[in-house]
Amino acid sequence: MDANYENRFRTQAINRLDRLDAGLARIYTYVKRNENDKALHFMDNELRDLYMGLEDIIKANRDTMGSQIGTI
């Protein structure tokens, strides 16, 4: 396997994980402020998109990287 390909995948996965982490922090802030309606709306929309983006990257690279990465 090409080292550049692995580095690209790693960079993309880390970026998506960072975005997901920021989204989770946003939900935490909403809940902490007792803005539960905003938290639920964010979870149903933006957070779902963030998760799906991470999942798409993993699925797209699973065939190429074989057993080196797992599934979500």
Side-chain angles (χ1 to χ4, degrees):
M1 176 172 306
D2 187 342
N4 286 333
Y5 184 83
E6 286 183 33
N7 287 335
R8 232 176 328 159
F9 167 72
R10 183 173 291 123
T11 300
Q12 290 174 344
I14 288 171
N15 287 340
R16 295 291 181 151
L17 281 170
D18 287 344
R19 291 178 191 170
L20 183 60
D21 188 46
L24 292 170
R26 190 168 175 186
I27 290 172
Y28 173 79
T29 301
Y30 284 144
V31 172
K32 188 175 176 182
R33 293 179 182 169
N34 203 27
E35 296 175 335
N36 297 331
D37 291 337
K38 285 184 180 180
L40 288 172
H41 183 269
F42 185 82
M43 288 170 60
D44 285 339
N45 297 292
E46 289 88 351
L47 188 66
R48 182 185 318 228
D49 292 341
L50 294 171
Y51 176 80
M52 295 297 282
L54 176 61
E55 186 177 41
D56 290 344
I57 292 220
I58 292 172
K59 283 181 179 179
N61 290 285
R62 182 176 41 209
D63 295 334
T64 305
M65 297 186 76
S67 63
Q68 294 180 7
I69 61 174
T71 59
I72 290 182

